[in-house]
Amino acid sequence: MKNLPMGDKQELQDNEFFNRFSEISNFTVLLDETKDSNAPNILLTGLRGVGKTVFLKKIKKLFEKDYLVLYLDFSRAEVYQKNNMSVEGLMNFYYKELIKESKCYGLNTFDKRIEKFFKTNNFKIKDFSSLNSFPIPIIENETNSEELINFVMDLPNKIYEENKDKIKGIIIFIDEFQIIKELDNYLESFLWKFRSFIEEQSNVAYVFSGSMSLQDQLISDIASYGGVFGGRMITFSLEPFNKKTVKEYLSERASNLILTEDAFERFFKCTSGIPAYINFFGRLLPKDIELNENDIEREFVDSISVFSIQLISTWSGLSSREQSIIISLLDGPKRRIDIANILGLTTGSLSNFLNSLQNQGLINMNKSNNLYELCEPMLVRWLKSEYQNKGIYPYRKI
């Protein structure tokens, strides 16, 4: 009998992967056009836990024999981890990962490292020393941010041109791309700079991915007809599993999980069809005994803190103001002014907090009605469970 993989596993073996056949087929057809100088640019979106990273790493395996394939997780960049976001920091992260992957493919990059040093730094004489009465200049260097961006963004194309006898093209996956929203005032110019290089690289394909709904403003900034790419970026949304797929998945991968029809309906409602939650919850449920709807509800309440551990950690890292905003949205979407009235604040004072929550993929503003809404269903269920059991929301650090 096959087992359900761990819910937080980011790379699955072939025998663990399930479904997504049409998405894989569409991606492979598009990306393979890179070898014919028709490299596509793709934006992959989807809710947290829906399997975007697993999906991308599956696609990576399919192409890494013939292509140089780079998987970048922007959330691993030091500047993000240290809460000091900057374009310079992201570009240095991009550069280091590209050089490292190129070396793994056996591509020579030594000259690129030397070139980077001289092209992306401004040099000046800081002082003079002396040796046997001869003046010796002491040179100081300072990074030129614009030259650094130009060099790094052009580097994939240079690597391809020098190695096209070894590789068919270059495919670059940039995961957790939504964190660039923390660049704030520099965001739009950064996106335009990105576009200017991408459009000139016919053998370098880009796939951007992140925990974003299709309502996210960044999607509009990038992929809409009024956005930076002017509607020329292909947009895919990786959707949760539907009921039929979940039933087939459990039947194949957890055949000793015995659910009545009502129990299955409750299971689907609890997990929202999100693969990570299906795997977590499915692994925690009793096996080889029939479970009814009440059993699922009880097990869900008892175990929600276990498979929501990552979200609980995120919650603990929020400010009390951010937590209050989320709690104000638990009973439904609201206008900005309604949130402000509930919290006893002015609408202007909410800006930074609302932006931060959107950047973390916890809330979203629906552009069609200008209502803020929660977009992490498991966090909603955990908070409601905490209130039901304890009569108070968990504002303090956990």
Side-chain angles (χ1 to χ4, degrees), residues 13-274:
Q13 301 299 319
D14 288 341
N15 64 345
E16 294 178 305
F17 202 85
F18 187 82
N19 203 265
R20 307 297 190 195
F21 304 116
S22 63
E23 293 94 333
I24 290 173
S25 176
N26 290 336
F27 258 70
T28 52
V29 168
L30 285 169
L31 289 177
D32 206 32
E33 291 185 10
T34 303
K35 70 178 186 298
D36 300 318
S37 300
N38 292 314
N41 299 308
I42 304 172
L43 181 64
L44 176 69
T45 67
L47 297 173
R48 192 196 309 264
V50 81
K52 297 181 299 300
T53 297
V54 167
F55 179 78
L56 290 180
K57 291 190 174 181
K58 172 74 172 179
I59 299 294
K60 182 178 187 295
K61 282 184 179 181
L62 298 175
F63 282 90
E64 57 191 5
K65 179 181 178 181
D66 298 317
Y67 291 80
L68 171 61
V69 186
L70 176 64
Y71 172 80
L72 284 172
D73 180 349
F74 267 7
S75 70
R76 289 178 52 239
E78 184 178 0
V79 287
Y80 177 74
Q81 291 294 328
K82 291 186 174 180
N83 199 28
N84 188 31
M85 275 287 286
S86 68
V87 172
E88 183 179 313
L90 283 181
M91 289 296 99
N92 277 320
F93 172 70
Y94 186 165
Y95 166 78
K96 288 176 184 177
E97 293 296 309
L98 179 57
I99 292 297
K100 182 172 69 175
E101 196 68 27
S102 297
K103 289 173 69 176
C104 289
Y105 275 75
L107 308 181
N108 180 33
T109 58
F110 180 69
D111 59 329
K112 297 296 179 292
R113 284 170 277 174
I114 296 175
E115 186 181 0
K116 175 180 181 288
F117 179 74
F118 286 101
K119 279 194 172 183
T120 66
N121 284 285
N122 295 327
F123 298 91
K124 62 181 179 181
I125 297 175
K126 180 182 179 182
D127 203 350
F128 284 92
S129 183
S130 63
L131 178 65
N132 297 327
S133 300
F134 287 98
I136 304 294
I138 298 174
I139 306 298
E140 184 180 65
N141 65 286
E142 180 179 70
T143 300
N144 183 318
S145 295
E146 287 300 313
E147 289 301 323
L148 175 64
I149 296 171
N150 293 341
F151 179 82
V152 174
M153 290 302 301
D154 193 41
L155 186 56
N157 197 52
K158 285 186 175 181
I159 291 175
Y160 168 74
E161 289 296 333
E162 293 176 11
N163 295 278
K164 53 187 174 182
D165 57 326
K166 301 176 184 176
I167 55 176
K168 293 181 178 180
I170 297 178
I171 300 172
I172 299 175
F173 298 113
I174 302 183
D175 207 355
E176 302 301 342
F177 189 67
Q178 78 279 358
I179 73 167
I180 69 168
K181 289 188 280 189
E182 293 192 14
L183 294 174
D184 296 328
N185 295 334
Y186 196 75
L187 173 59
E188 186 174 358
S189 57
F190 174 69
L191 289 173
W192 280 102
K193 176 75 78 171
F194 225 118
R195 170 188 167 171
S196 68
F197 281 96
I198 286 175
E199 289 190 332
E200 295 177 358
Q201 299 178 356
S202 55
N203 292 93
V204 182
Y206 283 86
V207 178
F208 304 97
S209 177
S211 298
M212 301 172 281
S213 75
L214 289 175
Q215 307 298 327
D216 195 295
Q217 182 60 42
L218 184 60
I219 303 291
S220 178
D221 293 340
I222 296 173
S224 72
Y225 283 97
V228 169
F229 287 87
R232 288 184 290 273
M233 182 172 282
I234 302 167
T235 302
F236 275 87
S237 179
L238 205 61
E239 299 295 335
F241 287 167
N242 59 33
K243 283 184 183 180
K244 180 176 181 292
T245 301
V246 173
K247 186 167 285 191
E248 292 172 349
Y249 180 59
L250 293 179
S251 175
E252 179 179 323
R253 303 300 168 90
S255 57
N256 60 346
L257 187 59
I258 307 171
L259 307 178
T260 66
E261 194 59 37
D262 286 344
F264 172 76
E265 291 292 328
R266 177 60 61 180
F267 179 92
F268 182 78
K269 183 177 180 181
C270 288
T271 60
S272 302
I274 296 174

